[in-house]
């Protein structure tokens, strides 16, 4: 399972790594509204929320659908600026129809790969976004109605909200993290120039891989390992072809992928740090969960967690044949859950406790990615 960015024929210089203050503000706002996704930020979230003035906190609640359950496309610039003001200026240049359509591109949808009509001009889309808003409460519904009836006024309101966030807390954050993010972007750019895209993607995230066709067609794709499927191209925006990578300090464990039709693909990736464990591939997480889903294998794991056992010992303990035990052990071993070693003429099996302990967080990271 993967999202695909077809970059066949795209020059490497069109692959851009750059920090974005607006994208980082979006990541910080998401952490404030969903602290359960970011256990490492609990201290910062608690202190920041406690320090917010009531008016600002209320306004953030009104607009939090833009960054809470998903991240609106308007918060992921395709061409990052040096300052938040510069990026907000670029947002101001987008016409109302496109701005409002992008603002509401916040839910998983099978239609995401096709252009979404703007709710400003399409009655069906207007009904859809109002229903989405109503399901999230009266404050959300009121905010949505304001955007649909007075988009210019709402855009001014939203820009002021972001500027107030910068003054209240984000300015200090950006001065602190921008140096790290800029350094990471420079490192990735240099790695791309010297080592190529495949190695750069691996260094960016283990959820990113380069797929180059071996049939002579020259097809080249970036695969994004997420619990979703999508397809776009580096030429989605003919006026500005390329792919943009935005490093984030606040974003882990999320790997955001924005690929709205007609917009340059954008990926926001968490900057690696020593305390962050390497993410397991989603296929491997699924394989491990399925391996543990069989009642007999669960019972075998109970014994194997307590120490090494031979196939014969397990067969006697559970009243099944040795070949049956071997088949179950093979499934567990293929999933990387069991270690096997030989001692003389005996083969001993034991549950890998570290792998099993990581399974819950691997699953959580996978669904949040």
């Amino acid at each position: 399972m993967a999202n695909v960015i077809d970059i066949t024929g795209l020059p490497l210089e069109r692959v851009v790594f750059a920090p974005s203050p607006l994208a980082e503000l979006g990541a910080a706002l998401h952490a404030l509204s969903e602290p359960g996704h970011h256990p490492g930020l609990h201290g910062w979230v608690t202190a920041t929320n406690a320090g917010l003035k009531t008016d600002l906190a209320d306004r953030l609640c009104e607009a939090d659908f833009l960054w809470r359950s998903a991240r609106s496309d308007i918060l992921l610039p395709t061409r990052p600026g040096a300052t938040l003001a510069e990026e907000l200026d670029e947002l101001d240049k987008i016409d109302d129809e496109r701005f409002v359509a992008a603002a509401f591109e916040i839910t998983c949808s099978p239609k995401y790969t096709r252009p979404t009509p703007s709710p400003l001009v399409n009655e069906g889309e207007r009904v859809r976004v109002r229903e989405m808003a109503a399901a999230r409460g009266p404050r959300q519904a009121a905010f949505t109605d304001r955007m649909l009836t007075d988009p210019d006024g709402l855009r001014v309101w939203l820009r002021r909200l972001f500027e107030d966030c910068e003054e209240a807390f984000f300015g200090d954050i950006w001065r602190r993290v921008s140096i790290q993010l800029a350094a990471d972007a420079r490192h990735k750019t240099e790695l791309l120039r010297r080592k190529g895209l495949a190695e750069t993607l691996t260094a960016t995230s283990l959820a990113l891989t380069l797929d180059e066709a071996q049939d002579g067609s020259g097809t080249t794709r970036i695969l994004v390992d997420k619990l979703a499927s999508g397809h776009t191209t580096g030429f989605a925006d003919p006026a500005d072809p390329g792919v943009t990578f935005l490093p984030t300090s606040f974003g882990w464990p999320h790997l955001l992928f924005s690929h709205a039709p007609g917009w340059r693909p954008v990926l926001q990736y968490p900057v690696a740090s020593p305390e962050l464990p390497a993410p397991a591939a989603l296929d491997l997480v699924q394989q491990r969960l399925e391996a543990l889903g069989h009642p007999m294998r669960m019972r075998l794991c109970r014994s194997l967690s307590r120490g090494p056992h031979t196939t014969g010992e397990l067969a006697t303990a559970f009243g099944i044949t040795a070949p049956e035990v071997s088949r179950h052990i093979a499934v567990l071993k293929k999933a990387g859950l069991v270690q096997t070693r030989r001692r003389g003429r005996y083969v001993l099996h034991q549950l890998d406790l570290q792998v099993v302990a990581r399974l819950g967080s691997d699953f959580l990271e996978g669904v949040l990615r």
Side-chain angles (χ1 to χ4, degrees), residues 97 101-102 104-105 109 111-119 125 128 261:
E97 289 185 18
F104 285 112
E105 193 62 79
S109 168
K111 299 180 180 178
Y112 194 60
T113 56
R114 302 200 298 272
T116 301
S118 173
E125 187 65 14
R128 184 183 77 87

Side-chain angles (χ1 to χ4, degrees), residues 19 24 48-49 59 134 148 184 202-203 215 229 246 249 284 297 319 323:
E24 194 66 2
T48 302
N49 277 327
R59 286 184 288 149
L148 295 176
D184 186 85
T202 300
D215 57 4
S229 297
L246 309 175
S249 177
L284 181 57
R297 288 198 282 273

Side-chain angles (χ1 to χ4, degrees), residues 17-27 74-84 87-88 170 174 177-178 181-182 185 244-249 266-268:
F17 288 83
S20 162
L22 181 58
E24 194 66 2
L25 174 58
I74 63 174
L75 296 174
L76 295 167
T78 60
R79 281 293 183 181
T83 65
L84 182 63
E87 295 186 327
L88 294 178
F170 182 69
W174 185 244
V177 304
S178 60
L181 299 184
T244 300
F245 290 83
L246 309 175
T248 172
S249 177
V266 179
L267 293 106
Q268 187 185 41

Side-chain angles (χ1 to χ4, degrees), residues 283-298 300-301 304 323-340 349 351 355:
D283 287 345
L284 181 57
V285 174
Q286 180 178 345
Q287 183 182 12
R288 287 172 174 171
L289 291 173
E290 290 173 349
L292 293 172
H294 193 286
M296 178 53 71
R297 288 198 282 273
M298 287 282 286
L300 291 172
C301 285
L304 295 173
E324 286 181 281
V325 172
S326 295
R327 285 193 293 270
H328 287 305
I329 291 294
V331 173
L332 294 169
K333 188 175 179 181
K334 187 175 181 181
L337 297 167
V338 166
Q339 297 175 330
T340 298
H349 312 287
L351 195 67
V355 170

